[in-house]
Amino acid sequence: MLGQHIHRHVYFGGLILIVLGLPFSKPVISIGIAVVGINWLFEGQFRAKFERLKNNKGALLIGSIFLLHLIGLLYTEDFKYGLHDIRIKLPLFILPLVIGSSIPLSKERFRQLMGIFIGGILLATFVSTYIFLDLTGAHVTDTRDISIFINHIRFSLLICIALFALLYFAWQNTQSIELRLIQLGLSFWLLLFIVILQSMTGIVILLITAYLLLIYKAFKLGHPALRWAGIGLLILLPLFPLTYIHQQLTDFYDLPELNYDQLDVASPRGEPYRHHHGNLEIENKNYVWTYIAPNELKESWEKRSHLAFNGKDLKGQPLRSTLIRYLASKHLRKDADGVAKLREKDIKAIEKGIANVRFMNGINLRSRIYQTIWEFDRYLKGANPGGNSVTQRFEFLKTGWSIVQDHLWFGTGTGDVKESFRMKYDEMQTLLSKKYRLRAHNQYLTIAIAFGLVGFVWFLIALIYPMIAHRQTNNYFYMTFLVIVLLSMLNEDTLETQVGVTIFSFFNCLFLFGTEKGTDDQSKLNISGNGPQLRKEAA
């Protein structure tokens, strides 16, 4: 029989595998969960563990989400897919059980574990940057594809958690100034990388979480004048991005009304132009589907590129459409003269599937806003939203809400969400092609679809009540994590993948009850101006 100290080391080693697996490897995550689970069984002491678990409302509530899925199996029709979903949700059962009934980590062990997690995230960002700089020769056409280990949105959530942890550690005055400056520098790098990654979900979550933290801090200011001045400034702060977005909207639509009677009828080389009446798609304040000489366009393009005019670009999109949009974005007509004015780097960009000259050097924040406005513009004009990351989600949500209305109280069951979407898309005659007919991309809606209003209320209680039961509203790590994960569920099915469900269950358990708490709690939100004090404890 192994000694208790050996079991504690094995337990900690399993946690390390989980935090390193999150940004790099699903199998490593599975191994880590298996290690802590098997170690828990061999450790014994089940009476003491049962007593700890019985009094741990947070662990029971988090674990009850798994129970909700088990109950949903009782009335599901696709039992096979339901079992597949249960397998993905296993971390919701194992981690609350093991962490919730184990002796909490000491604060020193917690710091070590978070340091390893942050180190893993930093290493993953360096690997992704290596790919971004095209040092591998992979020729990535979509910047979000530089996250090669896990989905870029889940990666951005991990980056947010690591960034706020780094900022906390940099705040402490118990460390050397050199170490704190390094931590601030690494925090800035993570902030820069999440912009490089172009995960709008991650960027928005990061900004909102930071904003809420600043509001909290402003309310804690002692001097009334400073407190209300800070709150006032923070209330005004959102006006700046809103004003900027309004300016971008105004600029997008700043073009003359299209009058087909005044358009030229033929190209300089004599081919009649085609003007697609009624198609008002815009690129860089130019109408896309005017001044098209298709024969000239095909002949001149195929003299300059090995890709067929009527074929696909390297993104798998119709090359003809990419070329026409790109020419419009450069204020060029879609004829032989327009193609002749393209530089060699323009030809390469079109081949890669870049449809607008402003995306030549990647998508920065300004161009990402432009792309979102462009998506909405096409959607409102009746275009198929398929492949557009923002507007196609409206189709997902509309379809999902229709399913909820059909199964209002108890939902479809654990295994029938996917099939329900397939049937509803057909019923609604959606414009989305089959490869874009996806699920809700909203965890709250997905829960309502699967378990109805009864299950939805249960789920909300399991999300929020642990914070109240454990009195953790002042816990920096837990509250920043909770805001991040709750926001992510608005835009993603966070709990429908192994990485997402592990992020949720692991950090929930670790921050809520997996670490020792005391009068010098390492996670207090009411940080003083000098930074919080920590005393070192044995592992």
Side-chain angles (χ1 to χ4, degrees):
M1 199 72 178
L2 297 176
Q4 279 301 301
H5 67 289
I6 298 296
H7 283 293
R8 291 295 292 165
H9 285 306
V10 174
Y11 171 64
F12 188 65
L15 298 183
I16 290 174
L17 288 174
I18 293 172
V19 298
L20 288 178
L22 282 171
F24 285 111
S25 170
K26 294 177 184 177
V28 173
I29 294 173
S30 299
I31 292 170
I33 293 174
V35 166
V36 297
I38 294 170
N39 178 71
W40 183 86
L41 289 172
F42 279 96
E43 186 181 26
Q45 299 187 346
F46 296 116
R47 185 185 295 272
K49 289 175 179 176
F50 177 75
E51 286 299 318
R52 291 191 201 103
L53 192 64
K54 185 175 68 174
N55 297 316
N56 192 330
K57 293 179 181 178
L60 295 174
L61 283 166
I62 295 168
S64 77
I65 300 174
F66 183 78
L67 176 61
L68 182 63
H69 286 78
L70 284 179
I71 294 172
L73 280 179
L74 298 176
Y75 55 96
T76 191
E77 293 183 13
D78 191 345
F79 196 76
K80 182 179 178 181
Y81 191 84
L83 288 176
H84 167 75
D85 197 45
I86 289 294
R87 182 180 61 80
I88 291 174
K89 301 297 193 301
L90 275 173
L92 285 171
F93 169 70
I94 297 174
L95 293 177
L97 172 67
V98 173
I99 299 176
S101 62
S102 297
I103 298 172
L105 296 177
S106 69
K107 296 184 180 110
E108 186 62 29
R109 278 295 204 194
F110 171 80
R111 289 171 60 87
Q112 291 170 0
L113 186 63
M114 290 303 295
I116 293 168
F117 165 68
I118 292 167
I121 297 300
L122 288 168
L123 180 58
T125 64
F126 297 151
V127 172
S128 294
T129 304
Y130 187 79
I131 296 167
F132 173 74
L133 296 174
D134 205 18
L135 299 177
T136 63
H139 303 300
V140 174
T141 57
D142 189 333
T143 308
R144 291 170 292 186
D145 291 338
I146 64 176
S147 177
I148 59 173
F149 302 109
I150 61 173
N151 173 274
H152 72 283
I153 293 179
R154 252 74 74 189
F155 190 27
S156 71
L157 299 183
L158 291 170
I159 292 170
C160 288
I161 296 169
L163 174 57
F164 283 108
L166 263 174
L167 289 173
Y168 175 83
F169 292 132
W171 189 270
Q172 299 176 79
N173 64 3
T174 56
Q175 305 174 115
S176 66
I177 187 65
E178 292 82 6
L179 180 57
R180 295 170 73 183
L181 288 174
I182 290 172
Q183 289 166 338
L184 284 173
L186 293 174
S187 301
F188 178 77
W189 161 248
L190 291 180
L191 178 61
L192 176 63
F193 180 81
I194 207 168
V195 175
I196 294 172
L197 188 61
Q198 296 176 18
S199 170
M200 286 304 291
T201 299
I203 292 170
V204 170
I205 287 174
L206 181 66
L207 292 174
I208 292 176
T209 306
Y211 182 71
L212 292 175
L213 280 173
L214 288 173
I215 288 178
Y216 179 91
K217 185 63 178 175
F219 272 105
K220 292 292 183 179
L221 291 173
H223 196 286
L226 286 176
R227 180 166 64 250
W228 291 111
I231 293 170
L233 286 173
L234 288 169
I235 291 173
L236 293 174
L237 192 60
L239 293 177
F240 293 100
L242 290 174
T243 301
Y244 180 74
I245 292 170
H246 180 263
Q247 289 174 343
Q248 292 293 305
L249 270 169
T250 303
D251 183 65
F252 185 90
Y253 289 107
D254 183 21
L255 73 170
E257 185 177 348
L258 187 59
N259 188 334
Y260 290 99
D261 294 333
Q262 296 178 358
L263 301 181
D264 294 342
V265 296
S267 73
R269 304 190 188 197
E271 181 176 350
Y273 279 131
R274 292 184 184 179
H275 306 297
H276 293 240
H277 289 251
N279 192 329
L280 301 178
E281 186 178 330
I282 302 168
E283 291 285 355
N284 285 1
K285 297 194 286 187
N286 282 280
Y287 292 103
V288 174
W289 300 101
T290 57
Y291 293 113
I292 300 173
N295 296 324
E296 286 185 19
L297 201 56
K298 181 178 185 298
E299 182 181 351
S300 55
W301 169 260
E302 292 185 346
K303 286 180 179 178
R304 300 197 60 182
S305 173
H306 66 283
L307 295 183
F309 176 75
N310 290 317
K312 304 283 188 181
D313 59 35
L314 296 179
K315 278 188 179 179
Q317 307 164 141
L319 188 140
R320 176 180 180 274
S321 297
T322 304
L323 172 60
I324 290 172
R325 286 178 56 197
Y326 192 92
L327 286 165
S329 78
K330 289 204 71 172
H331 310 277
L332 297 173
R333 295 187 177 186
K334 301 87 186 179
D335 54 20
D337 290 348
V339 174
K341 292 176 182 177
L342 295 176
R343 299 163 296 177
E344 194 59 34
K345 65 179 182 179
D346 293 317
I347 299 295
K348 296 299 182 186
I350 294 165
E351 290 175 339
K352 290 179 181 179
I354 297 172
N356 191 307
V357 68
R358 68 168 64 214
F359 302 142
M360 278 278 289
N361 298 315
I363 301 180
N364 53 36
L365 186 58
R366 182 171 180 268
S367 58
R368 189 69 180 88
I369 293 171
Y370 170 88
Q371 185 179 29
T372 302
I373 295 171
W374 178 85
E375 287 184 20
F376 274 106
D377 177 71
R378 292 188 75 243
Y379 185 62
L380 293 173
K381 290 173 180 174
N384 186 341
N388 296 325
S389 59
V390 178
T391 51
Q392 68 180 3
R393 291 172 188 265
F394 284 90
E395 289 291 298
F396 304 159
L397 294 173
K398 182 170 66 175
T399 306
W401 177 242
S402 182
I403 298 171
V404 170
Q405 292 174 308
D406 292 342
H407 307 272
L408 187 60
W409 293 106
F410 299 104
T412 65
T414 301
D416 292 340
V417 174
K418 184 177 180 181
E419 179 62 14
S420 296
F421 266 97
R422 187 193 67 77
M423 294 173 61
K424 185 59 71 171
Y425 278 128
D426 288 341
E427 179 187 319
M428 297 176 66
Q429 299 181 333
T430 179
L431 292 175
L432 294 174
S433 62
K434 290 191 176 180
K435 70 176 180 178
Y436 294 122
R437 295 184 183 186
L438 306 177
R439 289 168 48 148
H441 279 59
N442 180 299
Q443 189 63 59
Y444 306 106
L445 184 57
T446 296
I447 291 292
I449 292 168
F451 310 115
L453 289 182
V454 173
F456 177 70
V457 172
W458 181 338
F459 180 67
L460 289 183
I461 293 171
L463 286 181
I464 304 300
Y465 191 69
M467 168 185 66
I468 300 168
H470 288 260
R471 299 179 182 178
Q472 293 299 302
T473 55
N474 209 30
N475 181 325
Y476 173 87
F477 287 103
Y478 178 70
M479 291 305 298
T480 52
F481 161 75
L482 188 63
V483 171
I484 289 167
V485 78
L486 292 182
L487 289 173
S488 77
M489 290 182 182
L490 290 171
N491 196 50
E492 278 296 311
D493 289 325
T494 307
L495 303 184
E496 305 307 309
T497 65
Q498 181 189 8
V499 174
V501 78
T502 305
I503 291 172
F504 173 79
S505 53
F506 176 78
F507 286 111
N508 232 335
C509 296
L510 179 68
F511 295 150
L512 192 60
F513 46 76
T515 308
E516 285 181 354
K517 303 297 187 292
T519 55
D520 62 340
D521 190 349
Q522 88 286 355
S523 54
K524 292 295 182 185
L525 264 170
N526 53 341
I527 304 171
S528 69
N530 297 321
Q533 298 292 329
L534 281 176
R535 58 182 174 85
K536 293 187 176 181
E537 300 186 12

